[in-house]
Amino acid sequence: MSEVVIATELRDKFGKGAARKIRREDKVPVVLYGHGSEPRHLSLPGHELLLALRTPNVLIRLEGAVDELALPKGVQRDPIKGFLEHVDLLLVRRGEKVTVDIPVVVTGEVADGILDQQLVSVSVETEATHIPEGVEVDVEGLEVGTQITAADLKLPKGTSLAADPEALVLIVSAAPTAEPAAEGETAEAAPAEGAAAEGAESAE
């Protein structure tokens, strides 16, 4: 897993006004916490941080005011414009285990029926500096009725399941069929047609 290097600056002013000023400078207010240490208040360059956060569970190497490794744990965006308002970063160490959610990537085509994916991500425990990008599930040739649970996932070496093993990841369901017309509807249509025929004879 690659690291993204981002420069940091300490910040000593807080509140909405201070945060707006930081964002006007194309920076993002950030809090770094973890390992029992006091939270550190930083500002990071907005564009670089935005690009880094496009990668799930990106490992960020902070340089400058602090020199640490961190994982994003909370991201606040403007609900309308989408820019970063605030980010929480979790301090990590090389070799330590962390619990994160990784994407479930489906490959292949089922033999018949409809594939219903229940989980798009799954919680795992893995080394902080070797977080897998995701876990693949090959559904090639699976038939109706097949179910895959979290316990069935083939996780990369060094990664263990942190989610409920019985959690349903996906199921292959039968394709819906057209429902036949109800008998009552057919029976009701017949007298109506007969009545129409009688009306025609009376008219003659």
Side-chain angles (χ1 to χ4, degrees), residues 26-109:
D26 192 28
K27 298 176 182 178
V28 180
V30 171
V31 173
L32 175 66
Y33 67 95
H35 286 273
S37 61
E38 288 291 325
R40 281 172 278 183
H41 300 270
L42 313 169
S43 64
L44 274 62
H47 183 65
E48 292 178 37
L49 184 57
L50 183 64
L51 291 178
L53 293 177
R54 290 181 178 177
T55 301
N57 301 312
V58 61
L59 185 65
I60 300 175
R61 179 149 58 92
L62 303 171
E63 293 186 345
V66 298
D67 295 298
E68 302 283 6
L69 288 174
L71 290 172
K73 284 310 251 184
V75 179
Q76 296 178 18
R77 299 177 183 269
D78 181 86
I80 298 176
K81 297 183 179 180
F83 62 80
L84 296 174
E85 290 188 325
H86 179 89
V87 174
D88 288 335
L89 296 178
L90 176 65
L91 181 66
V92 297
R93 303 279 189 235
R94 294 187 186 279
E96 78 169 307
K97 294 278 190 174
V98 294
T99 300
V100 295
D101 291 339
I102 61 173
V104 176
V105 182
V106 175
T107 62
E109 298 288 339

Side-chain angles (χ1 to χ4, degrees), residues 82-199:
F83 62 80
L84 296 174
E85 290 188 325
H86 179 89
V87 174
D88 288 335
L89 296 178
L90 176 65
L91 181 66
V92 297
R93 303 279 189 235
R94 294 187 186 279
E96 78 169 307
K97 294 278 190 174
V98 294
T99 300
V100 295
D101 291 339
I102 61 173
V104 176
V105 182
V106 175
T107 62
E109 298 288 339
V110 297
D112 53 12
I114 297 176
L115 179 66
D116 182 10
Q117 185 173 353
Q118 300 284 316
L119 292 181
V120 296
S121 64
V122 65
S123 183
V124 299
E125 186 179 58
T126 187
E127 189 177 336
T129 54
H130 292 87
I131 298 175
E133 294 182 1
V135 55
E136 286 193 358
V137 181
D138 186 6
V139 300
E140 186 66 35
L142 295 186
E143 299 180 346
V144 171
T146 303
Q147 296 184 11
I148 293 180
T149 65
D152 298 321
L153 297 175
K154 297 179 181 179
L155 298 173
K157 185 178 179 180
T159 300
S160 59
L161 187 66
D164 179 1
E166 297 182 0
L168 185 62
V169 176
L170 59 85
I171 183 173
V172 183
S173 305
T177 56
E179 295 184 2
E183 293 182 4
E185 295 177 359
T186 306
E188 289 176 2
E193 293 173 359
E198 291 178 2

